[in-house]
Amino acid sequence: MADLKDKIEAEYENIERLINELPSYDRLPFLGFLELAGVATLLHNFYNGVENIIKLILKDRNISLPKGESWHKELLNLAKAHEIISEPTLVQLGEYLAFRHFFSHAYALDLYADKLEPLVEKINEVYQNFKKEITQFLEK
């Protein structure tokens, strides 16, 4: 278990570093194209870190990871089904999953501050809720 906790802690450190690099949501309308692309990359990385933590826990519990086209969504649902995360956290993370999908398949030219603002504004709350639930799950 210590190895799992160390790996999760490393993911937390990376997530916290990138959250600290995000500008406040109210500054987004004043950012240039490249800066918005950077914000979008950090949001994408945040969700990747969340997925990495869920995958570490599932692998540690010998639970098969989903495969196929919708594996990202199935991963979140699997985390909920195994009570790693709650329904409200599933919904919150679903917004970042949707953004991850958009970011992976769209052009950076399609990034707009008003679409990024709610994700940046809520990221600390979402992260803290997620982290709390992961801690509670690991303590069971």
Side-chain angles (χ1 to χ4, degrees):
M1 181 68 97
D3 190 39
L4 174 64
K5 286 186 178 182
D6 290 342
K7 290 176 183 177
I8 290 173
E9 193 59 43
E11 291 293 337
Y12 286 155
E13 287 175 20
N14 288 331
I15 290 171
E16 289 164 14
R17 282 179 48 212
L18 69 87
I19 288 174
N20 288 332
E21 291 298 323
L22 285 168
S24 64
Y25 72 93
D26 56 347
R27 286 195 49 230
L28 295 182
F30 306 102
L31 300 181
F33 167 75
L34 290 176
E35 292 165 315
L36 283 178
V39 169
T41 301
L42 293 175
L43 290 170
H44 183 269
N45 289 165
F46 165 72
Y47 188 76
N48 285 345
V50 166
E51 281 190 339
N52 289 345
I53 291 168
I54 292 170
K55 290 188 293 188
L56 285 168
I57 293 169
L58 292 173
K59 285 180 185 177
D60 184 71
R61 301 288 198 270
N62 293 316
I63 299 168
S64 297
L65 299 179
K67 294 180 169 98
E69 286 185 33
S70 61
W71 77 265
H72 295 278
K73 184 173 183 174
E74 291 173 28
L75 185 71
L76 267 188
N77 290 330
L78 197 56
K80 165 67 173 78
H82 287 278
E83 299 179 342
I84 298 169
I85 61 172
S86 67
E87 180 68 27
T89 299
L90 172 80
V91 171
Q92 288 179 322
L93 290 173
E95 294 176 37
Y96 292 88
L97 170 59
F99 177 76
R100 182 222 156 273
H101 180 79
F102 166 79
F103 182 78
S104 297
H105 299 283
Y107 286 98
L109 297 169
D110 295 328
L111 293 171
Y112 299 98
D114 62 325
K115 302 294 184 194
L116 301 177
E117 284 175 15
L119 297 172
V120 172
E121 182 179 14
K122 295 187 297 189
I123 198 166
N124 279 308
E125 174 189 342
V126 173
Y127 172 63
Q128 291 306 320
N129 290 343
F130 174 75
K131 188 174 179 181
K132 178 182 170 189
E133 290 181 7
I134 295 300
T135 300
Q136 290 171 342
F137 177 81
L138 293 175
E139 290 175 349
K140 290 182 187 176

